[in-house]
Structure formats: C-alpha cells, structure tokens
Amino acid sequence: MKTTSGIRSLFGANLKRLRLQSGLSQEAFADKCGLDRTYVSGIERGVRNPTIEVVGVLAKGLGVAINALFDFDSPP
Amino acid sequence: MKTTSGIRSLFGANLKRLRLQSGLSQEAFADKCGLDRTYVSGIERGVRNPTIEVVGVLAKGLGVAINALFDFDSPP
DNA sequence: GTGTAGACTCCTGTCGACT
DNA sequence: AAGTCGACAGGAGTCTACA
C-alpha cells in the first residue's frame, strides 16, 4: 500500500505530548491502556503503525477524544 | 489486547457516509485511495481494523481531515 | 456495485532481556 | 524511566473468484 506521509511520527509526537501533559510515564500509561510498554514506545517514536482500536484505547487512557490525537491534520 | 468498543463499526459507518456524500462507488473510491476494493468493503462494515496509515489515505481520498472520520468520538 | 470466502505475505501487538 | 532487540501468534492488507 501507499503510505501518505509521516502520519505515524505526527501521531506519535502528539501522543507523547498528551501523555506528558497527563503526568504519566510510558509504563504507567501503557499499563493503564492494557498495552505493552515497548509497543507504546514504538508508537511514540513513529516506528509503529497502530490500528484504530489501539487509537481508541490510547484516547481512553488519556481521557481525551480520539480527535485530540489527530489534531495535526493530514499533511500534504 | 482489550478492544474498547465498536470503534470499527462507528468508523466504518462514518466512512461510508462520507464516501456516499462524495458520490463515489466503493470500487472507485478504493482505486482512488490505492486500496483493495474488498478491504474497503470490510472496513465500512466494521469487520476490519485499519491502521492509522490507512486512515490517512482514506481521509486523503475523501479530501477531508482525518478528524472528520472520527467525529463520533469515544463511546463508553 | 457490493458482500464473502480462501489463500497468501508482511506487520501488528506481546513478551523477556539487556542497555 | 525509556530505547532496542529477537522471537512469536495472530491479524492487516492484497488478490482471485463467485454469488
């Protein structure tokens, strides 16, 4: 398939920013979401490509709307 | 992992709605996105769990922001 | 035009261990 | 606390074909 752009990096940076705002460590956050710590690490660094179900649990873990994780919006 | 809810179904219904608004058939839309037609069919019916990169190409194919595809927002 | 099924490749998501 | 590696099962994404 044809990967549009650096969506993963943008998403990851956004996730990291929101997680830090909530004052959680990667590990504490991963536990709260029921996800693996190393996987969350990969997502934040843009080397992983999570599914929308994972996006859902991440948003829930942060206590924010899903849209908050995508508020960088489709780059060229 | 722990699937939060019917995110896939909500996303799929939303995608279908936006696609129909744009007047495209599943096939024409899939071609425009560079995705497989049967896969788009699966996404719209909520039986598939796309990655955020696929979400990006779907949004681009529709000419909308990624947020538009998630404007149902995290169900309980 | 759409839904489904089967078969296939490659990656998502989990885990343990070391830095 | 966070990055990275190797290994693994299961699922994402493609394709062909029929209803």
Side-chain angles (χ1 to χ4, degrees):
Chain A
M1 63 152 296
K2 199 169 170 54
T3 95
T4 309
S5 66
I7 282 192
R8 295 200 302 239
S9 300
L10 293 167
F11 182 86
N14 220 0
L15 173 62
K16 181 168 190 173
R17 183 176 55 76
L18 291 168
R19 174 179 63 80
L20 291 177
Q21 277 181 13
S22 78
L24 290 168
S25 70
Q26 273 188 1
E27 186 164 22
F29 177 58
D31 285 354
K32 189 170 181 180
C33 294
L35 294 171
D36 193 79
R37 182 188 68 80
T38 67
Y39 184 51
V40 172
S41 170
I43 295 174
E44 285 193 354
R45 286 173 300 121
V47 302
R48 288 292 205 161
N49 185 20
T51 62
I52 62 175
E53 295 217 338
V54 169
V55 171
V57 302
L58 291 172
K60 187 160 204 164
L62 287 168
V64 301
I66 295 179
N67 281 347
L69 285 165
F70 286 105
D71 66 3
F72 44 83
D73 260 346
S74 33
Chain B
M1 67 156 291
K2 197 168 170 56
T3 93
T4 308
S5 65
I7 282 193
R8 296 201 302 241
S9 301
L10 293 168
F11 182 86
N14 221 359
L15 174 62
K16 181 168 189 172
R17 184 176 55 77
L18 291 169
R19 174 180 63 79
L20 292 177
Q21 278 182 11
S22 77
L24 291 168
S25 70
Q26 273 188 0
E27 188 165 20
F29 177 58
D31 285 354
K32 189 171 182 179
C33 294
L35 294 170
D36 193 80
R37 179 188 71 79
T38 66
Y39 184 51
V40 173
S41 170
I43 295 175
E44 286 193 354
R45 284 172 302 120
V47 301
R48 287 291 205 163
N49 184 20
T51 62
I52 62 176
E53 295 218 338
V54 168
V55 171
V57 301
L58 291 172
K60 188 161 203 165
L62 287 168
V64 301
I66 295 178
N67 281 349
L69 285 165
F70 286 104
D71 66 3
F72 43 84
D73 262 346
S74 31

